[in-house]
Amino acid sequence: MRALLTSLSMTVFLASVSVADPLPSWTGTATKAGIIAFVERVTDPASADYVTPAARIAAFDNDGTLWAEQPVYFQLLFAIDRLKEMAAADPEVLTSDVLRAAAEGDMETVAASGTEGLLEIVSTTHSGLTVDEFQTEVRGWLDTARHSGTGLAYDDMVYQPMLELLSYLRDEGFRTYIASGGGLHFIRVFSQNAYNIPPEQVIGSIGNGSYSAGDGPPRVMKDPGIFFIDDKAGKPVAIEARIGRRPVIAVGNSDGDFQMLEWTTAGDGARLGILLHHTDSEREYAYGRDSHIGQLARGLDEAASRGWLVIDMARDWERIWPSGK
C-alpha cells in the first residue's frame, strides 16, 4: 500500500510540474512570464480580459517563426532542386537568365534577381501538375533533402519552444493557424505532422489554378503565375477572408508580419503580438535589421510602444531543435 501511495504521489507531483510549466524549453525570463500571464487572463472566466473559446484564435507565421529560414527559404531550395530535375529532362525549360542561374546553383544571381526572379522560379517549378502530384513531389523532397548547415531534414528544423507554445495554446482552447508568405500547398504537406496544425488551418500564398475533368479524372491543376501573395498587408486580408475572425494572438519574426500583428492587436479586448528575434549565432542564426531573409527593423523599433513581446532567441530559449540543443 505504501508503495502504491508513493507511486501515486509521484504521479501527481510530476503532473503538477507539467501543468505549472507549459513551456519547458523556454528560460524563466519576462518573455515567458508575459505569454503565460496573458493566456491565463484571457482564459479565466473571472477575468475582465476573458475571451470566449470560440474567439480564441492564434495566427503564426511559418518561415523563421515555426521553422528556420536560413540561408534561404526552404521552399526556394525545393524549387531549385525541382528545376534542376526539370532541366535535366528538358533543357528548354530554362528560358531566362534567372532560371539558368538557379539550375546552375548560382545563388548570387538568383538573389540579385529580386522578388521577380524568385517568383519566376516558383511559378516555373510549381505549375503544370495537379495539386496531388505537386504535394507528392514536396513530400519526397522533404524525406530526402538535408540542410547544408545542420544536416537535419528540413521538417526537423522546427523550433521546439514554438511547438510547446502551439500545444499550450491548444490546451487552453485556442485554434492555431498558420498565416505564411510561403506556398499554401507546400506547407500543407507537413503542417499536420510538424505542428499538429491540419491543412485546412493553413493560410498561405497561392499560385494560379484551374479545374479539369475533360480528359481524365477530375483534378485541380497548378497553373503558371501567382494568384495571391500572403505577405505584409496581404496577411490580414487573407486571415479575415479565411477565418472570419481577428486573431487574439499573432506571432511572427519579420517586418513581413508587421501588418498581421498590427491588425491583431488593434482589435477590441486583450490582444497579444509576439515577434521572434533571431539572436543566436551559435545554435541557429543571428539576423534582423539588415538581413536579406527575414528582415526585422520596423518591428523592433515599434514593438515596445505597441505592447508587443519580442522573443530574444539566445536569451529566452533553452533549446531550439526538438532533436537537440
Side-chain angles (χ1 to χ4, degrees), residues 3 8 13 22 26 57 75 85 95 106 123 177 211 224 237 258 281 287 305 312:
L8 289 173
F13 171 76
W26 298 61
I57 302 293
Q75 186 173 354
E85 293 179 359
T95 57
D106 180 1
S123 178
Y177 287 79
Y211 174 75
V237 173
F258 187 94
S281 60
Y287 61 97
S305 64
D312 182 311

Side-chain angles (χ1 to χ4, degrees), residues 18-66:
S18 177
V19 171
D21 189 3
L23 304 175
S25 294
W26 298 61
T27 59
T29 63
T31 305
K32 175 179 177 177
I35 292 171
I36 293 174
F38 177 86
V39 173
E40 289 179 344
R41 288 203 320 273
V42 298
T43 58
D44 180 1
S47 170
D49 292 327
Y50 179 68
V51 175
T52 62
R56 293 178 198 166
I57 302 293
F60 286 73
D61 172 55
N62 184 56
D63 293 312
T65 299
L66 295 179

Side-chain angles (χ1 to χ4, degrees), residues 59-110:
F60 286 73
D61 172 55
N62 184 56
D63 293 312
T65 299
L66 295 179
W67 76 350
E69 62 181 357
Q70 296 286 353
V72 296
Y73 297 122
F74 296 169
Q75 186 173 354
L76 177 59
L77 295 175
F78 161 76
I80 291 173
D81 283 349
R82 176 162 164 73
L83 181 63
K84 292 176 181 178
E85 293 179 359
M86 294 170 64
D90 179 11
E92 293 187 3
V93 73
L94 304 178
T95 57
S96 70
D97 290 341
V98 68
L99 292 178
R100 285 187 285 272
E104 294 169 1
D106 180 1
M107 296 305 296
E108 183 175 345
T109 298
V110 170

Side-chain angles (χ1 to χ4, degrees), residues 193-204:
N193 288 338
Y195 311 128
N196 201 22
I197 295 178
E200 62 269 22
Q201 289 175 211
V202 174
I203 303 167

